[in-house]
Each structure stands twice: as structure tokens, then as C-alpha cells.
Amino acid sequence: MSATTPHPAFHDLAERVNNWGRWGADDEIGTLNLVTDEVVREAAAEVRTGRRIPLALPLRQDGVQTGMIPGRVNPLHVMVQINQELFGPGTVACSDDVVTMGLQAATHWDALPHVSHSGRLYNGRPAETVTAHGGAAFGGIDKPRHIVSRGVLLDVARARGEDRLAGGHAVTPEDLDAAEEFAGTRVRAGDIVLVRTGQVQVYLAGDREAYGYPSPGLSVRTPEWFHARDVAAVANDTLTFEIFPPEIEDLWLPVHALDLVEMGMLQGQNWNLEELSTACGQERRYSFLLSATPEPFVGGTGSPVAPVAVL
Amino acid sequence: MSATTPHPAFHDLAERVNNWGRWGADDEIGTLNLVTDEVVREAAAEVRTGRRIPLALPLRQDGVQTGMIPGRVNPLHVMVQINQELFGPGTVACSDDVVTMGLQAATHWDALPHVSHSGRLYNGRPAETVTAHGGAAFGGIDKPRHIVSRGVLLDVARARGEDRLAGGHAVTPEDLDAAEEFAGTRVRAGDIVLVRTGQVQVYLAGDREAYGYPSPGLSVRTPEWFHARDVAAVANDTLTFEIFPPEIEDLWLPVHALDLVEMGMLQGQNWNLEELSTACGQERRYSFLLSATPEPFVGGTGSPVAPVAVL
Amino acid sequence: MSATTPHPAFHDLAERVNNWGRWGADDEIGTLNLVTDEVVREAAAEVRTGRRIPLALPLRQDGVQTGMIPGRVNPLHVMVQINQELFGPGTVACSDDVVTMGLQAATHWDALPHVSHSGRLYNGRPAETVTAHGGAAFGGIDKPRHIVSRGVLLDVARARGEDRLAGGHAVTPEDLDAAEEFAGTRVRAGDIVLVRTGQVQVYLAGDREAYGYPSPGLSVRTPEWFHARDVAAVANDTLTFEIFPPEIEDLWLPVHALDLVEMGMLQGQNWNLEELSTACGQERRYSFLLSATPEPFVGGTGSPVAPVAVL
Amino acid sequence: MSATTPHPAFHDLAERVNNWGRWGADDEIGTLNLVTDEVVREAAAEVRTGRRIPLALPLRQDGVQTGMIPGRVNPLHVMVQINQELFGPGTVACSDDVVTMGLQAATHWDALPHVSHSGRLYNGRPAETVTAHGGAAFGGIDKPRHIVSRGVLLDVARARGEDRLAGGHAVTPEDLDAAEEFAGTRVRAGDIVLVRTGQVQVYLAGDREAYGYPSPGLSVRTPEWFHARDVAAVANDTLTFEIFPPEIEDLWLPVHALDLVEMGMLQGQNWNLEELSTACGQERRYSFLLSATPEPFVGGTGSPVAPVAVL
């Protein structure tokens, strides 16, 4: 990432959040190692009402992609059989479907090798381990075999008394502190943090262009906050995850580079946190059991996910 | 299903398990209505060790499909960007992927409109509501917005002292009773039952043809058992779910017709229950929290799913 | 087509251009029957200089589709192998690609069953012969096994002294007469007529939205002209083929209905006629050998085509 | 191609057929440069009867691919609209389709960068110019903008008095000489040669496995023959083009390396030459106008093609 090397900020941050070797030289799941059995037991203990809130956007051709990102196509769902009487006239009739979609097109997790910088992936592996033949040989989305943990909603917008953050708003560590205070819980090791900006409302209102750009999102200073808390993963309700256009000129996607490459922490994007925000407000608690296992695409650098919060 | 009309057995069974109207004329999720908040609270209480067992087969091009079912294609995973420096030389490099796959190709849920008989879907809706333009207008896989409940493994093979059932073995209500006895728990309303035959071992050993056919599977007599217990959903470790070839000559896919159309109960197929069987044996309990929310393909008649059992 | 029944114009025209039964009740290729061996011999005799002009737009993800027509996706071209040494290190390395695309997305032919009206396809066949399982059982794009004939460029724009026609311009029979006069040749039975509006310039200049709408195109009065001349097929350089929005309020796609259903005449769209216009102008002749065989998708209601004019 | 470097035969042959620089350092179409306007005029003059013979296999899901070549998927043709009344009830109804397919899956041309050896493509360009983002930056299938020339059928099987060659038969220069003698014409500069083995009959009879392997095909000695005659392109009726398994142990795909990389000559595969063989036999001549322009996939390393011979 030579273009970013002039930025001392990046290198200092990279050094401070780096987790390479922390779970061994062969580790492929990074901060998900922090989700221990004990964390999961505590997560299950968060269930009080049994209310379930789904966090995925519907998968449809008019999804959040606009064509701006080449190849990241919205789901094209087609029927290959419609009430087909496979075994002869009058027998049970079957309907079958096929989908073509970008693995990062909708509500998804980025796998660790989704980005590289300076020729390196998480844990120092060479970027060249991602190939046309098989995808990511290291750290693919099939490697974390399950993602179930305690979830915490940091409702940054609501904590600021806003319905949604403005396009130019970079979510800072101070915003996270305030949202944590608002939530009345403390983020712990192994937690999955959901950061709500409210930006997904723009898409839900029908404006796909404005949803993507300009977008509020995480500041380059947040990875250090997540690192300090030993968070297992972070997701939010924007297309770009981090603020876009970026805070620092010519420093593109620094949060991706810090989270995925340096820390080895999965990022989730395009999560719909609106209904969850309402529910947490109603129940006056912002922690819950979160189940968000990706589809195990072998070598995938991402995966659609249908997360559910259980309150 | 005129070819099946000569079978009094089918019609009697259909009548006995029919749930049309039970949750209202507009209901689109059937027995998933049985998963109440209370059931979910009890499900969370099943978590003891926090151990998580994933139940999905890896998604890859050499998946379980052989080409026998037209259009049901194994996942074709391709990279559309590999370490692409989107913002100019030296910037953070991104990798992106696209998949084309049959929604019923791998570990999946069948949605209620996946089959019709006699021109009808669940709740009496016309089969014609499944169209090329939009798929299933009624009861699509996007309608159950979350699937989290108590799971129970009925390890029929193990209960019979076998590693896997023979190809011609129809799993009967008596087998389910025995497996329940073996499990030491009683299946309750709202539970999701996982029926293990061991058949997926055949695929894991590399023989895709023999995995599909001949296959052990559920007997035409089992829907009544599930109906009596008010089960929310059932999944197993076979390609066809029910015994194949069928028990009764010329009565094709009767279990599909009874479960999906008459009862309105989702079916899961190609679930890998091997690791779960081992874990349950080790922990000597066969109930757990099960999280298995499908991807919300709008109008989908099925969806890949990455289920996780939390013990 | 009940919405069009109030339009006496449509019904009169339909009657006048109808070819049902003309080539037998089982005919599936319509006016392509007019391309006899003799026509092809004469077409070959049109070759004077041997200059070849390709008429297809490049196939790429930023093709002419904007998402307006659901499911008609631009080509998504992906590499599934890149310099893969299939037989071991150091052996010949192979690269392979896969494409996903709408058959009508780029430069293409509409097959006869691409549209139906009043429940009927060409030759009176029921619209229901197009199904999710196999596509068009009647008249699919695989049925005309070859399309090679004499081509005539009717350069309507140039004949009017314009570089391209305005968005609201309906190409009339009088325009075709004038362009024929300008061309200095007479359209004959079995010819394939290429009608140039110049509209494709809008796409080539980068404005996909304006390319599609508003668009010049063929008037509802032109099918009768083509019918009178016994033309074998017609193609032009627009997205919609006919003028769009339509000439007569609430009469949508009447030219499609007349050409494809009533006459049984293939239509070509998104053909790039710019280079051909220049070449014909230079050589002062507007007839040539045209080779434009569709890809034989079984049951396809259209196909991409890479037409070549040989002058 | 280190594994092949021990083979002096390969290096001698490579040197003798090499065309790098022959048409300039920037040339991307190789031997297609030999198709001059004059050649095309002569090709048009070959048309005597006007009879047209299509050479493409139908595009369908049960095409020639068996899954042996990873990612090279048979066409999956799906309907995305079926008689859809886009403009409201009673209006003209449209049907639309989408296809997913390997560009080399069916009757196709290999583009020059389809293979590399020793890190090089045709004209000495680095293999690295083929990338996941855009495919082949050099010599892609969109570069030859048209392929129309004189075609000559070398019916090797018929010339030997056989209906089809045996699986182990390597087509030698002597076979080509004999077939040329049988054809009664002499192959000239710019011709496209179609070599018939009859092997496609095996596929047409339903045996996909045996079609691919073992297969007759071109000997490693044939590129020199094509080079001596200055042939523009060669196609045949097999899956592998060259004899498979190969003639010389551990020398894999040498003909691909010689034709595509060294000579810069396009190869066609899976062409159905059966009907053409019959027609040429009936008309007692084996030369014709051949039109076989690939679909212009930008960066494609191959393309389906629907070739037509005009006799």
C-alpha cells in the first residue's frame, strides 16, 4: 500500500492493532478465536424474551449494488423448474431455483482475505494465495465454521439523538464510548459489535446511489477501540463500512486494511439494524445472542449472511 | 396428483396432517408458527457447554449434485476481482467473488412452495402463484424471517446400533420413537428435529451417485408422527429426504407432499449430522439451541443454509 | 391483448401482415423461409471488395442494459482458470472463462416466441409453450439453423441528411422508401434489412439511460412495408427496435406483436451500424452479404449474435 | 513449460512454426491477418448452390462437458420472464432468458491467450496479462472482429474409408495430405481448415465420457503443416482438439502450445462436421464460404460460435 505509506497515522495504527501470530502462524480466523465456549454460554444467557430480530436485507435484483463496484452483482434469482411433474403427469410437482450473486453484494461478511495491502493478507500470508482457481486458499469464509456470540448494538445515531448520521459523519471512538454508555452495557472480549448509523434507511427509501455515497461510517481511529476491547467481529448498516469518501485524502479503505489484514477481524456490511434499534429501545437493553454464520463457500472472500439477534 | 389418488393411504394421511387454515388463511410459514418466544427461551436454556457444531456441507463445485436433477447446479464460485487496487497503484487491494448455484443444491431448506400437488400449495394456494417472474409469490423462503429454536437430534442409525442405515431403509415412526428413547428427551411443540441416517458418509467418502440413490429416508408414515408432536421443521442427512426409490410404487415424493403442502412444514436436506452425532454422544444429550435461518431470497422456493447447533 | 383491442389500427394491420399457415402449420422459422438457396447465391455475388464490417457491440458488463428490464443482465464475464497448469507444474497453462448474460441483453436476435399477444405466438401456437422448463418449445432461437442472406442497409438518418434521428422520430414507410432511394437498390424477397437511426451513438457516447429512452424506432406502419417486400428479417441500432415511448397511447410494443407474432419475422436490436454506414457511404452501395447466425440455445427466445457484413 | 523442455521435438517445432513479430510487435490476431480482402472475395466465389450447413452443436445443459474440466460448465439456460405483460394486463407479453456457460464449453473458438507456456502468450506477451479483472488484456476473443474466409473440409475419416477415427488415432500431416487429395482442392493461405475425425458421433450417440477420452485428434506434427500452408485457423470435431491422451508421455497439450502461442492461430473445438461431410460428399467439393465470427466478449479467452458453411 505504497500510496498509504506516507501516512504515519496508518503505520502507527497498523502496528498497534496487529494480531499476526497471536493465535499461531497458521491461524485463519483471527479475532473469532476470542469467541470461546464461555462467551457463548454467556451469550445464551442474554436471551430474556426470546424475541428474534432478523438483520438481513431481502435478497433481490434491486439490491444495494448500483454497478459502481465491477462484478459485484445483485442477486439474480431465476426459476429452473416451476411445478414440474418430474415423475410423470399427475405426480408431485417441483419448483427449483438458481441464483447468481456477488458474495459481497448484500448483507454479508467480508472474509479476512477480502483485502490485502503491501502484498499481505492477515497473519502475513502473501496476497497471491488468492487465485482464480479456488479463490482464497488462506482464511476463506469457510474457515470460521460458525459465528454465534454475544451481540451488542452500539446505536451511535440514537445515542446522539439522531435518526441517522449525516453522510459525512465519521464514527469515532468517542461515538462508540457514548453509544456504549447509552446502551448501558460494556463491550467485552468475544463480543460482536453492531454499529448503527441509520444509513440503511436511505436504501430502504429507494435511493441506492445516495446509500453508497456519501456515507457515514467507521473512522480510521475505531480499529484501535475494537482491538482494545478484543471484539470478535464488527458489522454495520452501510455499503462501505468505513466513512466514504475517506477522512484522509488518498488514504483509501484504511479501516478495511486495519480490521481485516492487521487485526484479522471480520467486517459485516449492509446489515439492517433498524428493527433491532427499535426492539432494543423498547426492551431497554442492547445485548443479545447473535447468530450469524456465513455460508461456507470454499475459498470465498465473503458470504451473504442472514444474521438473527435473539433478545 | 392424480397418479397418487388411487392410494387411499396418501389421502388419509393428507387429511390427518393437514394444517390449512390453522394459522389463518393468509399464513405463509406453517409450523414455524409453533416456534414461540417461550420455545426460544427454552432453547437458549439448552446451552450448557457453549460448544458449537456446524451442520452445512462446504459449498463447492464438486458438491452433492450429479446432474440428475435438471438445473440444480452445484455452486460455481468465481473471483471477479483478485487483489485489485481499485483506487490506483499501491492502494488497498480488494478481492470479490460471485457464485451461481441451485438454491436446493447443497445443505438447504425447502420452502413450502417447493412442491405442489393437485395444483395446490400449502394453505390451499394455487400452484400458479409460482412464476418465472419473481418465483414464489406465496410462502417463499424469505417469509420465515428467522429460524432459531430448540433442536433435537434423533440419531436413528446410532439408536439402531448402526453407523449408517442401509439404502433401502425407510425411517418409520417406530424408528423415531426408538431414537427419542435413545436421546433421552421428548420432542416438543416447536422443536426442530434432525433425523440422522448416516447417509451423508457416502458423499463424504466421494461417491455422489450412491449418495443419492438408493437412499434411506423418511417413511410416508412419519409426517403423522411429526404432526402429532407439533414439530416446527425437520431436516436430515440425505439428498432426497424421504426414502428413495419410494416405498409405494408410483407414489413419488409423498413425504414432500405431506410435509410441505399439507402440514406446511419446512424440510432440510443434505445436512451433515456426523460431527453432531459424535458431540451429542460425548455429551450424552441430544437437545440444543439450533440456529438455521435461510438466506432471504425473495420468492425463493429454497435456500442454502449454514445451521449451527449450540450445545 | 385486450388493452390493444380498442385500436382498430392494430387489428387491421395484424390481419394484413399475418403469415400464419403460409409455410405450413408446423413452421417455426417464419419469413426466414424466404431465404432460398438462390437468394444466398445472389447474396454471395454482392461481395465486391471483400471488406468485412462487424455489427456487434462488445460484450461487457457496462453494456446497454440499465436494469430497467428485470432480469435482462449485461454480460458478467469471469475467469474460472488463469494460466492454470492443469497437468502439473511447468506444463502448458490454461485460462478459461464463464459468462452470465441475458440473451436479449446485447446485440441480439429476438426469436419468434419472444413475445405473445392474446395468448398466441407465431403460427397461432399457444403462449403456454414457453415454460420455465426448457424455454420455448416452439420457434426457439435454435430453430433457424443459419442466417446468411443479402443484407441491405436502409440508412434512414443519412438519407434525411441527419447524423442520427431525434428521440421522438418514428421511422415510417416513407422514411424506408427514401432510404431505399438513397441506397440505390431495391429491397427484395429474402433480404435482411438493417435500419439505421444512429441512436447507438448515444450509448457509444456513454449515456445508457438516454440510449433507451426516448428512442427513435420503427413505426407501427412499417411491418406492412416489410411484409409487402417479403423481407426475411429486420435489425436496427436501438434498444427497443420500435419507437419508444410508443406512437399510440397505451399501444405498447405493437411492432413486436406484428413482426414476431403475426408475420413470424425475426427482429434484431442493438446492432452497431455506424461503421457500416461509413463503409457503405465510401463504397456507394448499400447491399452486401450478411452473416448473422444466432447461437443455438435450445428453447431460447433470443440470442446474442455477432453479425458481419461482407461488402 | 519446464516439463516439456526435455522434449527437443517441441522446441524444434516451436521454432519452426513461430510467428512472433511477423505482423508487428502489437499484433493480437495472428494468422487471421492472412484473411485478406482478396481471400474473402475468393471465398465468396466458392458459393455455388447457396446451401448452408450449420456447424454448431445445440446449446443445452446436457452439452459435451462432464465436469472433468473445473469451471467449464455446460449452458444453463433459464427463463427470467415468461409471457410477462410488462405494461399491464392484456398488453403484449414478453419472454426473456439468461444463460450461464463456459465460453469454451460448447462449439467454440479458443482465443490466442487461452493457453500460455513458459510464461508467455502469442507474440511473446507475458501470461500475466490474463487477470481476474477483465480477462485477457492481450489477444482476447474480441480482437478478431470478424471471421469469414474460405473454408476447406479435410475429411480425414472419410479419406481413410472410415466413418470415424479410432480413439487412439493421431491425425498426421500424411493424413492431412491424403484428405486434401480426397477433397480435390489445395489448402491456401488464409483458408480455415476443418478437420473431421467423426469423433462427435460419440457425443451425438449419448456417450459424453467416451467423447472426451480417449479421443482422436491432431498430432504434434500438424502445426508445421498448417504453418507451411499459412492457414488462418483450424477447427475440428473433438473435445480436446489434439489427440488425447497425448502422443508423447508427459507432453501435455503441445498442439495448443504450438498453434495458439507459437503460431498465433485460433483453434476451434466441438464443431459438428457430420452434416457438412455428407453435403460435401454429395456436392463433390470440399471448399466453401465459411462464416464463424466469435461473440465479442471483451477479454474472453474463448467464445461460443455458430459457424455456417455456405456451399
Side-chain angles (χ1 to χ4, degrees):
Chain A
M1 200 168 63
S2 63
T4 65
T5 41
H7 294 285
F10 179 81
H11 284 283
D12 288 358
L13 284 169
E15 217 164 278
R16 290 207 289 273
V17 303
N18 186 280
N19 278 329
W20 297 6
R22 180 174 172 187
W23 296 283
D26 293 334
D27 175 60
E28 304 190 44
I29 64 169
T31 53
L32 289 174
N33 284 291
L34 297 161
V35 186
T36 60
D37 286 358
E38 189 184 354
V39 166
V40 176
R41 288 197 299 272
E42 289 173 3
E46 292 282 352
V47 175
R48 309 279 163 78
T49 59
R51 183 174 177 182
R52 291 133 286 158
I53 311 290
L55 309 179
L57 293 168
L59 293 168
R60 48 196 313 161
Q61 212 190 334
D62 53 356
V64 299
Q65 301 302 320
T66 59
M68 188 181 67
I69 307 171
R72 198 176 284 186
V73 291
N74 281 318
L76 176 68
H77 168 242
V78 296
M79 301 305 300
V80 287
Q81 294 190 46
I82 297 179
N83 294 305
Q84 188 71 18
E85 297 173 338
L86 287 179
F87 301 98
T91 59
V92 168
C94 295
S95 296
D96 251 47
D97 0 32
V98 163
V99 74
T100 296
M101 69 180 290
L103 295 187
Q104 296 83 6
T107 303
H108 72 277
W109 284 117
D110 284 342
L112 300 185
H114 173 56
V115 307
S116 61
H117 82 81
S118 312
R120 295 287 149 183
L121 304 174
Y122 166 67
N123 229 353
R125 292 300 168 102
E128 290 75 27
T129 52
V130 183
T131 67
H133 194 69
F138 178 83
I141 201 62
D142 51 317
K143 295 297 165 59
R145 303 176 68 230
H146 39 70
I147 299 185
V148 178
S149 191
R150 195 176 84 122
V152 175
L153 176 65
L154 295 186
D155 196 337
V156 174
R158 201 78 65 203
R160 293 173 55 92
E162 301 174 21
D163 198 34
R164 69 177 173 89
L165 302 178
H169 188 102
V171 174
T172 61
E174 294 71 34
D175 283 329
L176 298 179
D177 285 334
E180 197 183 27
E181 175 91 16
F182 178 82
T185 188
R186 185 163 171 88
V187 171
R188 305 193 296 241
D191 280 356
I192 296 174
V193 172
L194 310 183
V195 180
R196 182 176 170 274
T197 70
Q199 176 71 2
V200 80
Q201 295 172 12
V202 180
Y203 166 69
L204 295 173
D207 192 341
R208 295 196 287 183
E209 297 291 342
Y211 169 56
Y213 178 95
S215 176
L218 296 170
S219 161
V220 68
R221 294 166 49 218
T222 55
E224 206 173 359
W225 194 96
F226 297 126
H227 187 254
R229 299 302 181 85
D230 262 347
V231 159
V234 177
N236 77 3
D237 54 356
T238 70
L239 186 76
T240 49
F241 191 71
E242 52 192 284
I243 181 169
F244 198 83
E247 299 159 275
I248 303 171
E249 211 185 327
D250 282 334
L251 184 57
W252 300 96
L253 301 182
V255 179
H256 278 67
L258 293 168
D259 285 354
L260 297 169
V261 180
E262 299 292 335
M263 290 180 62
M265 184 182 77
L266 262 64
Q267 295 181 167
Q269 283 146 273
N270 303 313
W271 293 37
N272 183 354
L273 305 176
E274 296 304 294
E275 186 177 348
L276 181 63
S277 170
T278 302
C280 287
Q282 290 167 341
E283 303 210 3
R284 298 196 179 180
R285 61 202 177 89
Y286 288 80
S287 58
F288 35 82
L289 173 71
L290 180 71
S291 182
T293 299
E295 303 294 331
F297 289 102
V298 175
T301 68
S303 171
V305 65
V308 177
V310 188
L311 272 70
Chain B
M1 201 170 60
S2 63
T4 66
T5 39
H7 295 285
F10 180 80
H11 284 283
D12 288 358
L13 283 169
E15 217 164 275
R16 290 208 289 273
V17 303
N18 186 281
N19 277 329
W20 297 6
R22 180 173 172 187
W23 297 283
D26 292 334
D27 175 60
E28 304 190 44
I29 62 169
T31 52
L32 287 174
N33 284 290
L34 297 162
V35 185
T36 61
D37 286 358
E38 190 185 353
V39 165
V40 175
R41 287 196 300 273
E42 290 174 4
E46 292 283 351
V47 176
R48 310 277 163 80
T49 59
R51 183 174 177 182
R52 291 131 285 158
I53 311 290
L55 309 180
L57 292 168
L59 293 168
R60 49 198 313 163
Q61 211 190 334
D62 53 355
V64 300
Q65 301 303 320
T66 60
M68 188 181 68
I69 306 170
R72 196 176 285 187
V73 290
N74 281 318
L76 177 68
H77 168 243
V78 296
M79 301 305 300
V80 288
Q81 294 190 45
I82 297 180
N83 294 305
Q84 188 70 17
E85 296 173 337
L86 287 178
F87 300 99
T91 58
V92 168
C94 295
S95 297
D96 252 46
D97 1 33
V98 163
V99 74
T100 296
M101 68 179 291
L103 295 187
Q104 296 83 6
T107 302
H108 72 278
W109 283 117
D110 285 342
L112 299 185
H114 172 56
V115 307
S116 61
H117 81 82
S118 313
R120 294 287 151 182
L121 304 173
Y122 166 67
N123 229 351
R125 292 300 169 100
E128 289 74 27
T129 53
V130 183
T131 67
H133 193 69
F138 177 83
I141 200 63
D142 52 316
K143 296 297 165 58
R145 302 176 67 231
H146 40 68
I147 300 185
V148 178
S149 191
R150 194 177 83 123
V152 175
L153 175 66
L154 295 186
D155 196 337
V156 174
R158 201 79 64 203
R160 292 174 56 91
E162 300 174 21
D163 197 36
R164 69 176 173 89
L165 301 179
H169 188 102
V171 174
T172 62
E174 294 73 32
D175 283 328
L176 299 178
D177 285 334
E180 196 183 27
E181 174 90 17
F182 177 81
T185 187
R186 185 164 170 87
V187 171
R188 304 192 297 240
D191 280 355
I192 296 175
V193 172
L194 311 183
V195 179
R196 181 175 169 275
T197 69
Q199 177 70 3
V200 80
Q201 295 172 12
V202 179
Y203 166 70
L204 295 173
D207 192 341
R208 296 197 287 184
E209 297 292 341
Y211 170 55
Y213 179 96
S215 177
L218 296 170
S219 161
V220 68
R221 294 165 50 217
T222 56
E224 205 172 359
W225 195 95
F226 297 126
H227 187 254
R229 299 300 182 86
D230 262 346
V231 159
V234 177
N236 77 3
D237 53 357
T238 71
L239 185 77
T240 50
F241 191 72
E242 53 192 281
I243 181 169
F244 198 82
E247 299 159 274
I248 303 172
E249 210 184 329
D250 282 333
L251 184 57
W252 299 96
L253 301 182
V255 178
H256 278 68
L258 293 168
D259 285 354
L260 297 169
V261 180
E262 300 291 335
M263 289 180 64
M265 184 182 76
L266 263 63
Q267 296 181 167
Q269 284 147 271
N270 303 315
W271 293 36
N272 182 355
L273 304 175
E274 296 304 295
E275 187 177 347
L276 181 62
S277 170
T278 302
C280 287
Q282 288 166 341
E283 303 211 3
R284 299 197 178 179
R285 62 203 178 87
Y286 288 81
S287 58
F288 36 81
L289 173 71
L290 180 71
S291 182
T293 298
E295 304 293 331
F297 290 101
V298 175
T301 68
S303 170
V305 65
V308 177
V310 187
L311 272 70
Chain C
M1 201 168 61
S2 63
T4 64
T5 40
H7 294 284
F10 180 81
H11 284 284
D12 287 0
L13 282 169
E15 217 165 278
R16 290 208 289 273
V17 304
N18 185 281
N19 278 329
W20 297 5
R22 179 174 170 187
W23 295 283
D26 292 334
D27 175 61
E28 303 190 44
I29 63 169
T31 52
L32 287 175
N33 284 289
L34 296 162
V35 186
T36 61
D37 286 357
E38 189 183 353
V39 165
V40 176
R41 287 196 301 271
E42 289 173 4
E46 292 283 351
V47 176
R48 308 279 162 80
T49 59
R51 185 174 176 182
R52 290 132 287 158
I53 311 291
L55 309 179
L57 292 168
L59 294 168
R60 49 197 311 161
Q61 212 189 334
D62 53 355
V64 299
Q65 301 302 320
T66 59
M68 188 182 68
I69 307 172
R72 196 176 285 187
V73 291
N74 281 318
L76 176 68
H77 168 243
V78 297
M79 300 306 300
V80 287
Q81 294 190 45
I82 297 180
N83 293 305
Q84 187 71 18
E85 297 173 338
L86 288 178
F87 301 98
T91 59
V92 168
C94 295
S95 295
D96 252 47
D97 0 33
V98 162
V99 74
T100 296
M101 68 179 290
L103 295 187
Q104 296 83 6
T107 303
H108 72 278
W109 284 118
D110 283 343
L112 301 184
H114 173 56
V115 307
S116 61
H117 81 82
S118 312
R120 295 285 150 184
L121 305 173
Y122 166 66
N123 228 352
R125 292 299 168 100
E128 289 76 26
T129 52
V130 183
T131 67
H133 193 70
F138 178 82
I141 201 61
D142 51 316
K143 295 299 165 58
R145 302 176 69 230
H146 39 69
I147 300 186
V148 178
S149 191
R150 195 175 84 123
V152 175
L153 175 65
L154 294 186
D155 196 337
V156 173
R158 201 79 66 202
R160 290 173 57 92
E162 299 174 22
D163 196 35
R164 68 175 173 89
L165 302 179
H169 188 102
V171 173
T172 61
E174 294 73 34
D175 283 329
L176 298 179
D177 286 333
E180 196 183 27
E181 175 90 16
F182 178 81
T185 187
R186 186 162 170 88
V187 171
R188 304 193 296 239
D191 280 355
I192 296 175
V193 172
L194 311 183
V195 180
R196 182 176 170 274
T197 69
Q199 176 71 3
V200 81
Q201 294 171 12
V202 179
Y203 165 70
L204 294 174
D207 192 341
R208 295 196 289 184
E209 297 292 341
Y211 169 56
Y213 178 95
S215 176
L218 296 171
S219 161
V220 68
R221 294 166 51 217
T222 55
E224 206 173 357
W225 195 96
F226 298 126
H227 187 253
R229 299 300 182 86
D230 263 347
V231 159
V234 177
N236 78 2
D237 53 356
T238 70
L239 186 76
T240 49
F241 191 72
E242 52 192 284
I243 182 168
F244 198 83
E247 301 158 275
I248 303 171
E249 210 184 327
D250 282 334
L251 183 58
W252 300 95
L253 299 184
V255 178
H256 278 67
L258 293 168
D259 285 354
L260 296 169
V261 180
E262 299 292 335
M263 289 181 61
M265 185 181 78
L266 262 64
Q267 295 181 167
Q269 282 145 274
N270 302 315
W271 292 36
N272 183 354
L273 304 176
E274 295 304 294
E275 187 178 348
L276 181 62
S277 171
T278 302
C280 287
Q282 289 168 341
E283 303 211 1
R284 299 196 178 181
R285 63 202 177 88
Y286 287 81
S287 58
F288 36 80
L289 173 71
L290 180 72
S291 182
T293 298
E295 303 293 331
F297 290 101
V298 176
T301 69
S303 171
V305 65
V308 177
V310 188
L311 271 70
Chain D
M1 201 168 63
S2 63
T4 65
T5 39
H7 295 284
F10 179 80
H11 284 283
D12 287 358
L13 283 169
E15 218 165 277
R16 289 208 290 272
V17 303
N18 186 280
N19 278 328
W20 296 6
R22 179 173 172 188
W23 296 282
D26 293 333
D27 176 61
E28 303 190 45
I29 63 168
T31 52
L32 288 174
N33 284 289
L34 297 162
V35 185
T36 61
D37 286 358
E38 189 184 354
V39 165
V40 175
R41 289 196 300 272
E42 289 174 4
E46 291 283 351
V47 176
R48 310 279 163 79
T49 59
R51 185 173 175 182
R52 290 133 287 158
I53 311 291
L55 309 179
L57 293 169
L59 293 168
R60 50 198 310 162
Q61 211 190 335
D62 52 356
V64 299
Q65 301 302 321
T66 59
M68 187 181 68
I69 307 172
R72 196 176 285 186
V73 290
N74 282 318
L76 177 68
H77 168 243
V78 297
M79 301 304 301
V80 287
Q81 294 191 46
I82 297 179
N83 294 305
Q84 188 70 17
E85 296 173 338
L86 288 179
F87 301 99
T91 59
V92 167
C94 295
S95 296
D96 252 45
D97 1 33
V98 163
V99 74
T100 296
M101 68 180 291
L103 295 187
Q104 296 82 7
T107 302
H108 71 278
W109 283 118
D110 283 342
L112 300 185
H114 172 56
V115 306
S116 62
H117 81 84
S118 312
R120 294 285 151 183
L121 305 174
Y122 167 67
N123 228 353
R125 292 299 169 101
E128 291 73 28
T129 53
V130 183
T131 67
H133 194 68
F138 177 83
I141 201 63
D142 51 316
K143 295 298 166 56
R145 304 176 67 231
H146 39 69
I147 300 185
V148 178
S149 191
R150 195 175 84 121
V152 174
L153 175 66
L154 294 186
D155 196 337
V156 173
R158 201 79 66 202
R160 293 173 55 92
E162 300 173 21
D163 198 35
R164 69 177 173 89
L165 302 178
H169 188 103
V171 173
T172 62
E174 294 72 33
D175 283 329
L176 299 178
D177 286 333
E180 196 184 27
E181 174 90 17
F182 177 81
T185 189
R186 184 163 171 86
V187 172
R188 303 193 298 240
D191 280 355
I192 296 174
V193 172
L194 311 182
V195 180
R196 183 176 168 274
T197 69
Q199 177 70 2
V200 81
Q201 294 171 13
V202 178
Y203 166 69
L204 296 173
D207 191 342
R208 295 197 286 184
E209 297 292 341
Y211 169 55
Y213 177 96
S215 176
L218 295 170
S219 162
V220 69
R221 293 166 51 216
T222 55
E224 205 174 357
W225 195 96
F226 297 126
H227 187 254
R229 300 301 182 85
D230 262 346
V231 160
V234 177
N236 76 3
D237 53 356
T238 71
L239 185 77
T240 49
F241 191 71
E242 53 192 282
I243 182 168
F244 198 83
E247 299 160 274
I248 304 173
E249 212 185 326
D250 282 334
L251 184 57
W252 299 95
L253 300 182
V255 178
H256 278 68
L258 293 168
D259 285 353
L260 298 168
V261 180
E262 299 291 336
M263 290 180 63
M265 184 182 78
L266 263 64
Q267 296 181 166
Q269 283 147 272
N270 302 315
W271 292 36
N272 183 354
L273 305 176
E274 296 303 294
E275 187 178 348
L276 181 62
S277 170
T278 302
C280 287
Q282 289 167 341
E283 303 211 3
R284 298 196 178 181
R285 62 204 177 86
Y286 288 81
S287 57
F288 35 82
L289 174 71
L290 180 71
S291 182
T293 298
E295 304 293 332
F297 290 101
V298 175
T301 68
S303 171
V305 65
V308 177
V310 187
L311 273 69

